[in-house]
Amino acid sequence: MANLSKKPNRLVHEKSPYLLQHAHNPVDWFPWGTEAFEKAKKEDKIILLSIGYSTCHWCHVMERESFEDISTAEVLNRDFVCIKLDREERPDIDKIYMDALHAMGTQGGWPLNMFLTPEKEPILGGTYFPPENRYGKRSFKEVLRLVTKAWKEQKGELLQAAKELSNYLRENQTRTNDGKVPGTEILVQNFNRYWQVYDQEFFGFKTNTINKFPPSMALNFLLDYYSIHKDNRALEMAYNTGYAMKSGGIYDQVGGGIYRYATDHEWLVPHFEKMLYDNALYVEFLAKLYQITGEIFFLEALKEIISYIQRDMRLDIGGIASAEDADSEGEEGKFYLWKESEILSELTEKEVIGYWNVTEEGNFENNQNILNVAIKGKNPYQEGIHFKDGFKIKLERSKEILYQLRNQRIRPLRDDKILTSWNCLWIRALLASFEATGDPLFLNQSKTIYEFLFTYLVKEDGSVYRRFREGETKFFGTLPDYSEHIWVSFRLFQLVGDKQYFLQGLQIFKYVETHFLSDMGPYFESAAGDEELIARTIDGYDGVEPSGNSTILHIFYFLHSLGFLHADILKKANAIFSYFLPELTQNSLSYPSMLSAFQKFQTPSKVVIVLHQNQSEEKMNEIRKNLSSLNDPTLIWLVLSEDVSRSLELDLGILNGRDAGDGVRYYVCQNFQCELPTDTWEEAVHLISK
């Protein structure tokens, strides 16, 4: 946390909570912009670009050790031009230099510290540098000395190497695309890979030697795979992992919400930061899982996380904050940890204390307890999830007691910037929850966030901005900001029937087509004409959130199923699948959302159009609920008034020539062949299931 008694630097004028944390460092920080690069050119200095985010633990550590150190700051201010960047505000810039770090053969992470030429070309980089030689790493001061020496004595070689690396980064985005589309066998191969790395003891997947990250997109792929192929192993993996994530220390058992990741395979010891995108993706998965299984445990988890977000992350202006820090009072997890004596002084229910595995010795540093529920030796999918009569009441009462006690502690920092793509992911979660439960509260919450985004972050020409904070809209959106906004616009159109949502999404879609499309098939991460970047990257990797290209593919499936008339959607989708063929074949576990879209395209399509006139909204909502309850990932449906349908005939070919008959009429189409219309739900269901 910044020491406000110290003289501020330029970052004091920024809005990013991460940059403001560094606003009182003795380092003469610049934000990313022309001023810094012009100074570097004029004074012939290397740039230190230091990238992180507000809830990054090791970013805090390096700040305390190096950026608040006077002697280190003197070296930086004398020999370098220093730029601080919030990766969450500018993921496009972060992606370029993370790619550069990987190209250097170095594992990525944050903080990301890159040394650049005054022309922004990467020379050398790393992640966390300690203040002294340790962890097998050179000290930060030693690295600074070596870089400065090389700049003075070997400048020509450094400039040439930086230019070659920059050219490599640009050329790596323009690989040839021979048009070959993956075969359906990659879906079975991907499923088999999940089964191979599935942790049968603690659930989840052993894709990392130490850590376990919430694999919500992978679990969604498995739920779709189960729905299409009826392989119970897919449902078992999803069910047990969903249970383990809610039960482990990775979940806040008192206040709700999932932490960033577990530092072990048992889901016990988390990295305590809470990110909006993790909770959004987990809730979206829980909604689908509840729809399929009807298991109340997952419904309760879903509601608990939504309550947490509404209570602690919702901002008065209408959007949702980005994250909560792992640290409070300078210690990671301090807000969330418990001594046994604290628990015993407040709780009398021994059953609950045992359920949370509270002991005197604890399971974390300094005899502290991370509340968790035992997983080992269980298989909830096979055994069911059972609670003794009355236990849930005791559990909820105990949660409330500890929640009130915990609220007396100093909370972790909340990063209250509003990011477009992350808020759209939360809208997706709310809409999935509305579909699963029928609770209009979730739909209304999603509409509120959507209206905020559309008011403050979408411009009249269809361009989208990335970040809003304290009245300021800033930074051009990246592809995920656009694609997620389009997708939630179309989802709201589907669930509400208001054509304005479709038209708003369509306007943004047209902007993407004009400003983001590459010649190779996929879409660039940044819009054309952004001259401050040394490369325009293409990304399909479904990391902490779905890639923009993956979400575009889900949008394509929706539009293709409805006979979109403004583009050859299937051709465009296949061009993306073809471009990413090597990754989908060799590294499929890193592309779960893209493979979920591919799975839909490889399955015979089903479309149901319901047209109505002079009908109550209650009756139409009942039809929408019935369609949602079919749990078919390949089914696309719309329930529209006849007037709305006619107004969209020039956009969606499947609506051409349709009418509502005597009041309500169902049109069922499979694989682009439509049955004769019917006036009854029962007959429509019969046609769908043929």
Side-chain angles (χ1 to χ4, degrees), residues 293-348:
T293 66
E295 173 52 62
I296 298 298
F297 179 87
F298 301 119
L299 174 63
E300 292 171 343
L302 173 156
K303 289 182 175 180
E304 191 168 78
I305 298 173
I306 292 176
S307 295
Y308 152 66
I309 295 293
Q310 281 292 108
R311 181 189 68 228
D312 294 341
M313 301 293 281
R314 181 176 58 87
L315 303 174
D316 290 341
I317 197 167
I320 308 295
S322 296
E324 289 191 293
D325 207 331
D327 299 10
S328 54
E329 301 180 73
E331 294 181 28
E332 182 173 9
K334 184 172 183 179
F335 182 74
Y336 301 104
L337 297 166
W338 301 90
K339 292 275 192 179
E340 183 193 47
S341 57
E342 289 180 284
I343 299 287
L344 294 177
S345 69
E346 297 294 329
L347 300 186
T348 58

Side-chain angles (χ1 to χ4, degrees), residues 627-638:
L627 288 163
S628 293
S629 70
L630 295 176
N631 294 327
D632 187 340
T634 67
L635 175 64
I636 299 296
W637 54 264
L638 293 176

